[in-house]
Amino acid sequence: MPQPPNIPQIRRYTDWLATHRGLRFEDYPALWRWSVTDLEAFWGSVDEYFSLQMRPEGGRVLAANTMPGTHWFPGGRANYARQVLRHVAPAHAAGMPALISRNEKGLARELGWPELQRQVAALALHLREQGVRRGDRVAAYLPNIPETAIAFLAVVSIGAVWSVCAPDMGTNAVLDRFRQIEPVALIACDGVTYGQRDIDRLGVVAELRAALPTLRHVVLHTNLADTPEAKARALAQAAPCAHFEAVCARDDAATAAFEPEWLPFDHPLWIVYSSGTTGLPKPIVHGHGGTVLVGMALKILHNDIGCSYDPNNWGERYHWYSSTGWVMWNAQVSGLLNGTTCVIYDGNPGGSKDRPDWTTLWRFAAETGVSFFGAGAAFYANCLKAGVDLSTCGDLSRVRALGSTGSPLSEDAQRWGSAQFAAIAANPAQHDIWWCNISGGTDFAGAFIGGHRELPQVPGRMQCRLLGCAVESWNEQGQAVIDEVGELVCVQPIPSMPLHFVGDVDNRRLIGSYFDAYPPGHGRKPGGGDLGPEAGAVWRHGDWLRILPDGSCVIYGRSDATINRHGLRMGTSEIYSAVEALPEVLDSMVVDLEYLGRESWMPLFVVLREGHTLDDALRERLRGAIRSALSPRFVPDAIYQVAEIPRTLSGKKQELPIKKLLLGQPIEKVINREAMANPGCLDWYVQLARERA
């Protein structure tokens, strides 16, 4: 099949600006400055360019520019599912599927657009009949399979609010999230396959049902059961419940006539979770309109992922490996917003523990004709270490772009991927393959920094700050700096910033998470300068950022103590809850030494009760406690018995100073002994840092 033209999406957008708005920019920095200073013009243009129909006739784009509490598109309307399903007729007429999926067992499926629409309608009508209404919360415990996308679109199409946890998460971690949101319905699976092991989850489903008193209805997807008899046993064990397969088999006049509801612009869409260093995971609520706007701008203009039935991107197939516990699942599904065929894989990308195989995803991409291949930075690092040779992985000739996120991508990993594609190059795009390296967050369901197909690319860097994202790097004095490492801040609002946190009285937790690092008004003037306190504060993201003179960027890792394992974030408090539940453990501390160019290394420090020693058996119990309560992803790389955990005078664990110390910074620069309750314990940690260096 001949290659489509693939004119860069961002060039098509700037051509539209010139034709329809009379706006011309000499270079990308000029375009970016316009997008972050004239917010109404930029986000209004996104609405019009993609024909989203969000703004009411003659309406405003931005009613009030204050952070938090920005009021976007007053009187506007949106529905995420409606934007997806508008592509059904043209995509189907062009012969393009909506979803292509496979799992570890080789089960390959293709879901057409009309079938996606019918199943979404069937499940949406079923939920309505069970009493699910606008604003109700629906929880899901599902893996990365087509049924999860169907369930999500069905829930949000009727104005209910979606929230999903991955089935590799244990009961405690899931309940820490779902208890806060009080769901009225649960859509779950009987189990998953990961690393060539079947993992039964019916016991967890029963525990969730027992611990969530607001639940009125359960829908079970028989993901593991593969015979009528096995399905019947699973449904009996989970009873009372509806069977996902039976619910979605409905095909009648009501399903044919179903349409997603128009909702207010800022109607809640989903609840995602971002963990901090204290307390329960933060249940972050995003809205329909802001998420769709930002998703379209990111996915199309910057990630350059086109509509599959558009001649410019004919046959586009978009894959970004993720679990449902990572916001990249949301990013993968967002491909549907633009009529793009999404290619999803459920399982371990590295094979099994006994038989590791880092060619798994590459062979999957070859067999399904993927054109945009995305994964976490750790995936590419593992491919490099495993010596993967792409010439042995099948026909990868359609791959034209590689995506990376989750943690900083090292120069070595990027050079490895570029060299691999240059060696098998079947077209000009592969001789110097384009890397779309992005950095953003669950917190606002988007990216701050990312790609631009027509800008130079340098291994280890991201190409630019994204349109509409007024990102700066600030030093300790709160001054914007260039070519220095500082705090990543965003000084102007973005439509997908959180509406609120669930149960957050007076927005205290929201403000404490993002907006309390700098004085209100400081740095808030579009284009630079200060405004009055009524303008609110800037968003502090919690990453170390360096902006180079050419506008490219480098992220160096987290500037706070949050754990980031291959892009999945977990609060240290959740690890402490699991570890300190063991009777032998008096106190504990964990740090994650993720940093640019280094593999994540996460040590756990424990103080044991008198008479106990850290032996192999206790180490395994500690690992098991984390594995079962949270996820195998957060099992520490090393466990140390220590005399004391460093604490401040007010009793706070000194996670961030110890993290900086172990990353090589001198002790006198990272910690004030006079502010410590137990400064004498530091010598042990200093010695460990020397040994690590």
Side-chain angles (χ1 to χ4, degrees), residues 287-298:
H288 276 256
T291 304
V292 170
L293 265 179
V294 170
M296 297 290 280
L298 168 63

Side-chain angles (χ1 to χ4, degrees), residues 301-303 434-438 449-453 463-464 466:
L301 303 183
H302 284 284
N303 292 6
W434 177 58
W435 285 84
C436 180
N437 302 328
I438 65 173
I449 299 162
H452 184 308
R453 239 186 79 196
Q463 291 170 293
C464 62
L466 301 194

Side-chain angles (χ1 to χ4, degrees), residues 585-600:
V585 179
L586 278 175
D587 202 0
S588 64
M589 182 176 71
V590 66
V591 295
D592 178 19
L593 301 193
E594 177 217 12
Y595 194 73
L596 180 66
R598 304 186 188 191
E599 186 176 359
S600 170

Side-chain angles (χ1 to χ4, degrees), residues 322-509:
S322 179
S323 83
T324 51
W326 187 21
V327 75
M328 292 314 295
W329 176 83
N330 307 64
Q332 170 77 81
V333 170
S334 73
L336 297 173
L337 288 171
N338 193 40
T340 307
T341 298
C342 294
V343 183
I344 59 177
Y345 183 81
D346 178 39
N348 190 335
S352 66
K353 187 175 181 180
D354 298 331
R355 299 179 62 188
D357 179 8
W358 289 98
T359 69
T360 300
L361 286 185
W362 296 111
R363 289 184 286 105
F364 170 63
E367 290 158 10
T368 53
V370 165
S371 53
F372 185 107
F373 181 99
F379 169 79
Y380 297 105
N382 280 314
C383 290
L384 165 63
K385 286 190 295 182
V388 168
D389 179 358
L390 295 189
S391 69
T392 68
C393 297
D395 181 7
L396 291 165
S397 62
R398 293 205 60 208
V399 177
R400 62 177 185 84
L402 301 174
S404 169
T405 193
S407 55
L409 181 70
S410 70
E411 289 187 37
D412 288 344
Q414 185 164 338
R415 291 185 194 281
W416 167 84
S418 297
Q420 287 286 319
F421 272 93
I424 63 169
N427 54 64
Q430 293 186 331
H431 285 289
D432 183 22
I433 197 150
W434 177 58
W435 285 84
C436 180
N437 302 328
I438 65 173
S439 180
T442 301
D443 315 75
F444 65 106
F448 282 135
I449 299 162
H452 184 308
R453 239 186 79 196
E454 297 191 299
L455 288 178
Q457 57 178 355
V458 177
R461 297 186 195 174
M462 284 166 280
Q463 291 170 293
C464 62
R465 291 172 281 183
L466 301 194
L467 295 176
C469 299
V471 168
E472 296 178 355
S473 174
W474 281 15
N475 63 19
E476 292 183 4
Q477 289 73 46
Q479 300 165 328
V481 294
I482 296 294
D483 215 9
E484 294 180 28
V485 177
E487 285 278 359
L488 190 164
V489 298
C490 187
V491 303
Q492 296 298 329
I494 296 171
S496 63
M497 284 177 176
L499 301 176
H500 56 267
F501 292 174
V502 175
D504 186 17
V505 179
D506 298 328
N507 270 348
R508 291 176 195 164
R509 205 173 175 205

Side-chain angles (χ1 to χ4, degrees), residues 563-643:
I563 303 301
N564 179 11
R565 298 288 272 180
H566 315 312
L568 297 175
R569 287 172 60 184
M570 183 69 69
T572 52
S573 60
E574 296 189 78
I575 295 176
Y576 301 148
S577 293
V579 167
E580 293 171 19
L582 271 62
E584 298 92 336
V585 179
L586 278 175
D587 202 0
S588 64
M589 182 176 71
V590 66
V591 295
D592 178 19
L593 301 193
E594 177 217 12
Y595 194 73
L596 180 66
R598 304 186 188 191
E599 186 176 359
S600 170
W601 185 72
M602 190 179 86
L604 171 67
F605 306 99
V606 292
V607 179
L608 302 181
R609 294 185 186 278
E610 190 172 347
H612 291 278
T613 304
L614 184 64
D615 55 17
D616 288 344
L618 182 53
R619 278 193 176 90
E620 189 50 45
R621 287 185 62 215
L622 287 162
R623 294 189 188 103
I626 294 170
R627 190 181 294 116
S628 61
L630 302 176
S631 165
R633 299 170 193 271
F634 296 98
V635 171
D637 296 296
I639 305 176
Y640 297 94
Q641 182 177 350
V642 296

Side-chain angles (χ1 to χ4, degrees), residues 40-89:
E40 285 211 70
F42 171 66
W43 290 110
S45 77
V46 173
D47 177 40
E48 291 179 32
Y49 180 67
F50 292 117
S51 301
L52 300 178
Q53 303 175 316
M54 290 180 172
R55 181 165 36 168
E57 188 71 31
R60 296 287 305 277
V61 169
L62 187 61
N65 182 344
T66 183
M67 290 201 291
T70 314
H71 191 191
W72 294 97
F73 287 75
R77 62 182 190 169
N79 188 306
Y80 191 110
R82 196 176 187 96
Q83 172 61 25
V84 168
L85 297 180
R86 68 190 287 188
H87 298 289
V88 170

